[in-house]
């Protein structure tokens, strides 16, 4: 093992997908895993196969399709979880079972209802069982930052003896501060002297310290960092992969020759893809990949930058793949160039999807002078939705104005069926969304709604990001169009579709009768 290498373990598809409203369908997960492989992460945690049939299928598909990184699957220290993870990973050339229990007394007593000794016994048994599927077994004890250190040493020692090859020491609740976390990692690393074992960290961001804690842990001997694109993950999220990679690279002087194998120049595209697929916007001032990261507003800063870039920039936009302009195609671009461009962004469409996407690209290029990467990503994303079971927007018409009652007529299509209805609202968007509710038979409550221009110019596509609650479930999505009412309708419909698919059927929609076929 290269001891100078920090292993980048990406958990966007597992912990990241646990972000409220971030659910992805199988197809989207495969596309994202492909992009993570292009990014050259070392490990892709593809999912939690026991959680649902969809999760199992996605891990199984990724294990069969995505080459390069090790594919990992999560399992509790429970035999049926491990077996399911082992079966889902079977097609992968390099596969890892990641099994976890807990290390803190509060978790053991209240959640797992086990004594410390029983937890060790379960963990040992589980690691041994996981080893019957693969030689690469990671063991995690949740909530280590609120646990007794000597108990952790005992627990990790037992799991190493049982065959674990990576020991993950998570800050599950984002409680630690950097010095304290580094001391914990140093303590455990110093006491478990097993050659070839990799110590890993997995930090949550509840106090905004996930990246700082992960990097402090590396200085104390950790050699794997678990992180996610755009910092997605439970609650406040995980350490952001892009921050970890660029910190190790930009401050190489601080990390004594350590390096990560990630292709940094692909970070920005990967971040955009994750944001498009999950529907979760990246805050403008997000480190490394936010829209403002390389923007200089104050006169003093602009003056400095013009004289010498290094006065106010510690990284170049190109280092993370932000091009000065990502103008790509126009209305004369051919199908071949179109496909080539999508594949450079890590997107592979079937022939039928490509035909449809190309037709839509041509329509867009007719409306807009310039078509940018982000426009293409939006078209591709819409193609990747599972068309056979979902509602698609076929047509809408709105009538609105001062002193008039805003009214919308909407036509939806599902397979070959057409559904048509109309509704009034307190604005054109409200009227369209109400029509969609009537047509699909599910009623969503809008929690967040925002619009921003995806690219530049007055003819730019408007991107609507929304979060919708369906009962207790919340779903996020985006929709884009040169018309913002259409963008709103697409975003809302995408939430409805995600909600219906997450319920495993289009049950609500099935009760609707097609109208005016
Ligand atoms: O936060 C956590 O502790 C986890 C474990 C499953 C590693 O996500
Ligand atoms: Zn986690």
């Amino acid at each position: 093992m290269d001891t100078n290498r920090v292993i980048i373990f990406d958990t966007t598809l597992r912990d990241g997908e646990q972000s409220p409203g971030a659910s992805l369908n199988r197809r989207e997960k495969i596309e994202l895993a492909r992009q993570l492989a292009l990014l050259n992460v070392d490990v892709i945690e593809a999912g939690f196969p026991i959680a649902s049939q969809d999760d199992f299928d996605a891990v199984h598909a990724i294990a069969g399709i995505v080459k390069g990184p090790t594919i990992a699957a999560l399992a509790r220290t429970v035999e049926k979880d491990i077996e399911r993870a082992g079966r889902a990973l079977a097609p992968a050339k390099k596969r890892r079972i990641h099994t976890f229990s807990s290390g803190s007394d509060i978790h053991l007593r209240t959640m797992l209802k086990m004594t410390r000794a029983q937890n060790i016994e379960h963990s040992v048994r589980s690691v041994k069982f996981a080893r019957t599927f693969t030689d690469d077994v990671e063991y995690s004890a949740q909530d280590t930052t609120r646990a007794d250190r000597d108990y952790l040493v005992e627990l990790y020692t037992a799991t190493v003896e049982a065959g674990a090859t990576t020991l993950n020491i998570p800050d599950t609740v984002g409680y630690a501060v950097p010095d304290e976390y580094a001391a914990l990692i140093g303590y455990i690393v110093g006491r478990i002297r097993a050659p070839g074992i990799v110590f890993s960290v997995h930090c949550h961001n509840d106090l905004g310290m996930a990246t700082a804690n992960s990097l402090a842990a590396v200085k104390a001997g950790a050699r794997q960092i678990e992180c996610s694109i755009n910092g997605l993950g439970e609650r406040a999220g995980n350490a952001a992969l892009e921050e970890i990679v660029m910190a190790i690279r930009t401050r190489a002087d601080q990390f004594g020759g350590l390096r990560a194998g990630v292709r940094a120049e692909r970070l920005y595209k990967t971040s955009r893809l994750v944001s498009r697929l999950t529907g979760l916007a990246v805050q403008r001032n997000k480190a490394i990949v936010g829209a403002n990261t390389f923007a200089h507003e104050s006169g003093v800063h602009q003056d400095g930058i013009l004289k010498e870039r290094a006065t106010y920039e510690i990284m170049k936009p190109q280092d993370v793949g932000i091009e000065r302009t990502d103008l790509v195609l126009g209305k004369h671009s051919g199908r071949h160039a179109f496909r080539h461009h999508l594949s450079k962004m890590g997107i592979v469409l079937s022939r039928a999807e490509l035909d449809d996407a190309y037709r839509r690209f041509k329509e867009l290029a007719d409306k807009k002078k310039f078509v940018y990467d982000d426009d293409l990503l939006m078209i591709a994303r819409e193609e990747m939705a599972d068309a056979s079971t979902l509602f698609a927007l076929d047509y809408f018409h709105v009538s609105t104005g001062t002193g008039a009652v805003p009214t919308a007529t909407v036509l939806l299509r599902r397979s070959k069926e057409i559904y048509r209805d109309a509704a009034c609202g307190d604005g054109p968007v409200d009227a369209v969304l109400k029509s969609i509710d009537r047509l699909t038979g599910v009623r969503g409550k809008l929690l967040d709604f925002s619009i921003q221009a995806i690219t530049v110019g007055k003819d730019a596509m408007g991107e609507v990001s929304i979060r919708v609650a369906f009962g207790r479930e919340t779903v996020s999505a985006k929709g884009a169009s040169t018309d913002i009412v259409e963008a709103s309708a697409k975003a809302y419909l995408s939430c409805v579709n995600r909600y219906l698919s997450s319920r495993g059927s289009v049950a609500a929609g099935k009760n609707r009768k097609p109208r005016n076929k």
Side-chain angles (χ1 to χ4, degrees):
M1 192 183 59
D2 175 359
T3 49
N4 276 337
R5 170 95 170 211
V6 179
I7 297 167
I8 299 295
F9 176 115
D10 179 276
T11 187
T12 312
L13 287 166
R14 200 278 298 168
D15 215 320
E17 215 233 350
Q18 289 171 221
S19 302
S23 65
L24 298 169
N25 68 28
R26 176 152 59 114
R27 181 67 196 283
E28 291 166 338
K29 287 182 184 171
I30 296 169
E31 291 305 328
L32 183 49
R34 278 203 173 103
Q35 178 61 24
L36 292 170
L38 287 175
L39 188 64
N40 209 30
V41 303
D42 300 288
V43 184
I44 295 174
E45 188 166 44
F48 189 12
I50 195 75
S52 69
Q53 185 62 38
D54 276 359
D55 252 51
F56 178 93
D57 292 343
V59 174
H60 193 260
I62 290 169
I65 293 170
V66 178
K67 308 283 175 247
T70 296
I71 309 298
L74 189 68
R76 289 168 300 182
T77 46
V78 173
E79 197 169 304
K80 66 174 189 309
D81 283 35
I82 294 169
E83 192 180 343
R84 201 92 176 117
R87 287 209 287 125
L89 289 170
K93 200 161 164 211
K94 295 191 274 173
R95 54 182 173 272
R96 172 180 299 183
I97 294 181
H98 175 193
T99 186
F100 73 101
S101 77
S102 284
S104 66
D105 288 334
I106 179 173
H107 275 215
L108 292 180
R109 197 177 53 243
T110 59
M111 221 169 61
L112 301 183
K113 306 213 185 308
M114 277 187 205
T115 62
R116 288 181 174 190
Q118 284 168 332
N119 185 38
I120 294 182
E121 198 187 306
H122 263 81
S123 300
V124 163
R125 204 179 322 129
S126 300
V127 168
K128 285 187 178 157
F129 185 51
R131 283 293 300 246
T132 63
F133 295 92
T134 171
D135 290 345
D136 186 347
V137 173
E138 172 169 334
Y139 173 74
S140 291
Q142 292 180 99
D143 201 20
T144 57
T145 51
R146 294 188 298 169
D148 174 58
R149 288 178 171 194
D150 292 316
Y151 174 62
L152 291 177
V153 170
E154 203 186 327
L155 177 61
Y156 284 122
T157 305
T159 51
V160 165
E161 283 165 8
T165 45
T166 299
L167 296 180
N168 186 34
I169 306 160
D171 182 16
T172 305
V173 291
Y175 181 67
V177 298
D179 293 354
E180 179 194 29
Y181 192 52
L184 172 67
I185 303 301
Y187 189 80
I188 294 173
V189 171
R191 272 156 192 80
I192 300 176
R193 299 197 171 277
I197 295 298
V198 173
F199 292 90
S200 166
V201 290
H202 173 115
C203 296
H204 280 270
N205 207 27
D206 299 65
L207 294 174
M209 283 186 273
T211 299
N213 284 338
S214 306
L215 295 172
V218 164
K219 289 191 174 186
R223 285 295 174 271
Q224 173 175 286
I225 300 180
E226 303 195 356
C227 44
S228 61
I229 302 291
N230 299 341
L232 293 186
E234 277 283 348
R235 306 182 309 279
N238 288 79
L241 183 148
E242 61 277 8
E243 294 171 14
I244 298 285
V245 167
M246 290 313 288
I248 293 176
R249 182 171 147 162
T250 309
R251 297 309 311 272
D253 58 317
Q254 287 291 310
F255 291 97
L258 291 178
R259 54 185 184 80
V262 165
R263 299 206 176 105
E265 70 285 0
R266 296 189 174 159
L267 284 171
Y268 183 67
K269 277 204 169 129
T270 313
S271 160
R272 301 296 302 164
L273 183 67
V274 168
S275 170
R276 290 271 168 273
L277 294 179
T278 57
L280 297 178
V282 174
Q283 77 195 57
R284 294 190 78 82
N285 60 335
K286 165 82 185 63
I288 316 297
V289 290
N292 292 355
T293 305
F294 295 97
H296 301 274
E297 184 66 23
S298 96
V300 173
H301 287 215
Q302 286 176 355
D303 182 53
I305 285 282
L306 288 173
K307 290 180 174 136
E308 165 57 57
R309 192 191 56 79
T311 49
Y312 285 104
E313 265 184 22
I314 57 166
M315 299 167 275
K316 294 198 287 302
Q318 295 87 334
D319 294 343
V320 297
I322 300 177
E323 304 294 339
R324 288 275 169 233
T325 163
D326 64 351
L327 168 65
V328 284
L329 299 170
K331 67 178 182 182
H332 300 298
S333 306
R335 198 170 184 283
H336 181 72
F338 176 73
R339 191 181 56 190
H340 178 69
H341 220 88
L342 283 178
S343 76
K344 260 179 41 197
M345 293 192 284
I347 293 175
V348 185
L349 297 180
S350 70
R351 181 184 279 266
E353 288 165 346
L354 193 70
D355 287 345
D356 205 45
Y358 184 61
R359 179 186 54 72
R360 293 177 52 204
F361 154 70
K362 284 292 215 186
E363 280 168 14
L364 183 66
D366 271 342
K367 285 192 207 154
K368 280 180 94 216
K369 202 161 164 199
F370 302 125
V371 178
Y372 296 86
D373 278 2
D374 278 343
D375 298 324
L376 292 186
L377 267 178
M378 187 49 77
I379 292 177
R381 175 177 191 269
E382 288 177 2
E383 280 310 318
M384 278 150 47
D386 181 359
S388 60
T389 54
L390 303 180
F391 290 103
L393 182 68
D394 197 75
Y395 160 94
F396 78 94
H397 172 83
V398 285
S399 144
T400 190
T402 45
V405 178
T407 315
T409 310
V410 176
L411 253 84
L412 299 184
R413 184 184 293 279
R414 195 180 70 211
S415 301
K416 294 201 172 78
E417 315 259 85
I418 295 277
Y419 303 77
R420 180 164 61 183
D421 211 334
C424 300
D426 56 19
V429 171
D430 187 44
V432 168
L433 305 196
K434 285 202 171 110
S435 307
I436 293 177
D437 282 349
R438 288 167 65 97
L439 288 166
T440 56
V442 285
R443 187 176 293 266
K445 183 167 172 231
L446 212 54
L447 301 178
D448 289 329
F449 180 96
S450 66
I451 305 181
Q452 84 185 90
I454 296 187
T455 46
V456 291
K458 287 199 188 115
D459 61 355
M461 291 241 261
E463 177 181 74
V464 170
S465 306
I466 61 174
R467 202 157 61 88
V468 181
F470 299 97
R472 295 178 58 198
E473 198 173 323
T474 60
V475 184
S476 308
K478 292 184 178 196
S481 168
T482 47
D483 176 324
I484 57 171
V485 179
E486 184 181 354
S488 310
K490 282 181 171 174
Y492 187 73
L493 201 53
S494 172
C495 287
V496 171
N497 285 329
R498 278 162 191 260
Y499 168 65
L500 290 173
S501 338
S502 77
R503 290 174 51 197
S505 74
V506 287
K510 265 185 189 146
N511 297 332
R512 314 304 299 168
K513 296 251 179 309
R515 296 180 190 218
N516 302 320
K517 265 211 260 184

